[in-house]
Amino acid sequence: MRVVAGSAKGRRLKSCPGRATRPTADRVKEAIFSILGSHVDLGGAVVLDLFAGSGALGIEALSRGARAAVFVEEGRAAQRALRENLVACGFDRRSRVLPLPVAAALRRLGREGERFDGVLLDPPYGQGLVAATLDRLRSAAVVAPGAWVVVEHHVDESPAPTGFAYLTRPHRYGKTGVTVLRASEELHDRAMQRIAVYPGSFDPITNGHLDIVRRTLNVFDQVIVAVAYNPHKDTALFSPAERVEMIRESLADVGDRIIADSFEGLLVHYCERVGASVVVRGLRAVSDFESEFQMAMMNRHLNARVETFFMMASETYFYTASRLVKEVAGLGGDVSGLVSEVVHGRLLAKLQQRKR
Ligand code: PNS
């Protein structure tokens, strides 16, 4: 492990062998800071490195101009490596190490009135620590309005942020995902920032859906295309993860204003979690109206702060539906033109696989 850039560039860092947690791989670290660099200015920032380990992420931030850093790490061996790394890089005077569990450290920092411009969050995988720590960050009130939070997570544990909004979509590096969030007070303060959720089964996403997503971007600042699934009665052809991937790949040209995600449970609860006040639905023929009207009314009954926004499908896609696309493709009909190339390839492969 080495410092990648900045004043301590090239400095070799100690890791702590035998630790249960994994150190951030250099290529992931490089990716994190290149993503961050295109969205935020690290110069002068005060950062918080949680589950710091031997401190690679916080040290990289200091090397690239952060003014000060607080490192939270409860493991003894990791604390030793971290302190040695700080001294070796000449950053010990700009740093503070809290040898505490993250929950206790956040309570203490909250009591002390600390406010951070950025947070580096890299918890052990598979223990629900991403969601729990984001909750704690919020209740300890230690993030400044508009602060960024880099979350390094397992690709299956994408953060569904409460009180935060997506600054970037999740980026993938093998099994590791990197998502950057922004403390959403800033978004709420800026009256024009509107986040919409476009929910659906998307099994798979069709060109009709994609057309709605792209047009929706003319109206809202960020659109979260959210695959709804029910693990107990989902009869979909594609898994939720496959559906999310197809959405992401089909909209790869659009950038970070589109986020692809999945959720189970109630749509209005999901909207609350991601800070969205609008649900977008597409309307095709009159026959869609009845069930859409019912859903909109039910959602309003459940949460009157969430509005439903209907968008008429373009004439070209009036008859396009995922169910028909699957049926036609399954019977050997040509559906290219009704779905993106990515979806077309995956659909044919899936149907072939089903036949075997
Ligand atoms: O693409 P679809 O199948 O028409 O989408 C329907 C969807 C996913 C939007 C709807 O079933 C939904 O919102 N499901 C989440 C669970 C929920 O909130 N149910 C109550 C809705 S009134």
Side-chain angles (χ1 to χ4, degrees):
M1 276 202 309
R2 284 181 187 276
V3 178
V4 181
S7 62
K9 179 176 175 182
R11 176 83 52 189
R12 187 180 278 281
L13 298 176
K14 278 202 167 170
S15 53
C16 20
R19 268 184 89 218
T21 49
R22 78 237 106 68
T24 298
D26 276 352
R27 95 190 159 98
V28 175
K29 187 167 70 174
E30 210 166 330
I32 288 177
F33 283 90
S34 107
I35 297 168
L36 252 188
S38 55
H39 290 276
V40 304
D41 184 8
L42 271 173
V46 179
V47 303
L48 175 62
D49 187 351
L50 297 173
F51 305 93
S54 48
L57 290 179
I59 288 174
E60 188 71 35
L62 287 168
S63 179
R64 291 177 189 235
R67 178 159 58 86
V70 172
F71 294 84
V72 176
E73 172 55 53
E74 63 175 318
R76 288 274 172 79
Q79 287 160 17
R80 264 195 305 278
L82 166 59
R83 288 202 161 96
E84 282 176 37
N85 286 336
L86 289 172
V87 172
C89 294
F91 294 153
D92 44 324
R93 296 238 205 97
R94 286 153 64 194
S95 310
R96 176 180 176 197
V97 177
L98 282 181
L100 293 171
V102 164
L106 287 177
R107 281 196 299 275
R108 177 186 294 185
L109 292 167
R111 277 199 305 275
E112 292 172 356
E114 288 275 8
R115 289 286 177 283
F116 295 93
D117 305 306
V119 181
L120 299 154
L121 173 56
D122 174 22
Y125 292 167
Q127 300 174 31
L129 284 168
V130 169
T133 311
L134 287 174
D135 272 354
R136 289 194 174 110
L137 269 174
R138 206 167 32 89
S139 45
V142 292
V143 285
W148 46 267
V149 181
V150 173
V151 188
E152 194 184 323
H153 53 88
H154 189 275
V155 281
D156 297 337
E157 276 192 323
S158 281
T162 308
F164 295 89
Y166 291 104
L167 189 58
T168 70
R169 65 175 75 201
H171 292 253
R172 265 187 92 135
Y173 307 93
K175 288 273 169 241
T176 302
V178 174
T179 305
V180 188
L181 308 174
R182 165 107 50 203
S184 58
E185 285 93 324
E186 199 219 14
L187 291 173
H188 292 155
D189 285 347
R190 280 201 263 146
M192 290 312 289
Q193 284 281 12
R194 288 256 170 224
I195 305 170
V197 169
Y198 179 36
S201 309
F202 302 120
D203 184 41
I205 192 155
T206 67
N207 284 350
H209 296 128
L210 292 173
D211 173 59
I212 298 272
V213 177
R214 289 176 193 276
R215 283 163 52 217
T216 305
L217 275 179
N218 296 328
V219 186
F220 300 102
D221 299 293
Q222 186 167 70
V223 180
I224 304 175
V225 185
V227 173
Y229 70 98
N230 179 340
H232 307 295
K233 60 174 210 206
D234 209 349
T235 53
L237 180 62
F238 292 97
S239 72
E242 288 173 322
R243 286 180 263 167
V244 169
E245 270 169 29
M246 284 187 281
I247 295 169
R248 209 167 273 156
E249 288 170 21
S250 303
L251 290 161
D253 58 306
V254 180
D256 289 329
R257 286 178 61 212
I258 294 281
I259 305 287
D261 194 10
S262 61
F263 71 99
E264 53 174 292
L266 283 179
L267 173 61
V268 288
H269 290 167
Y270 177 75
C271 288
E272 274 170 34
R273 284 207 298 279
V274 298
S277 52
V278 179
V279 166
V280 173
R281 293 287 289 169
L283 277 183
R284 289 164 303 187
V286 182
S287 52
D288 280 348
F289 183 80
E290 177 99 21
S291 61
E292 291 298 334
F293 185 68
Q294 274 182 354
M295 267 199 285
M297 291 300 120
M298 179 57 84
N299 285 332
R300 179 179 296 169
H301 167 77
L302 294 169
N303 185 341
R305 289 186 306 278
V306 176
E307 283 295 349
T308 305
F309 181 95
F310 291 106
M311 199 163 233
M312 299 307 293
S314 304
E315 314 82 82
T316 332
Y317 302 116
F318 232 65
Y319 57 92
T320 311
S322 304
R323 183 182 54 79
L324 281 179
V325 164
K326 282 183 288 193
E327 188 177 322
V328 171
L331 295 169
D334 180 12
V335 292
S336 58
L338 300 181
V339 290
S340 67
E341 267 179 44
V342 174
V343 172
H344 194 225
R346 291 240 201 172
L347 180 59
L348 297 185
K350 179 70 92 177
L351 292 168
Q352 200 64 43
Q353 188 187 327
R354 286 263 160 133
K355 276 194 196 148
R356 280 194 218 120

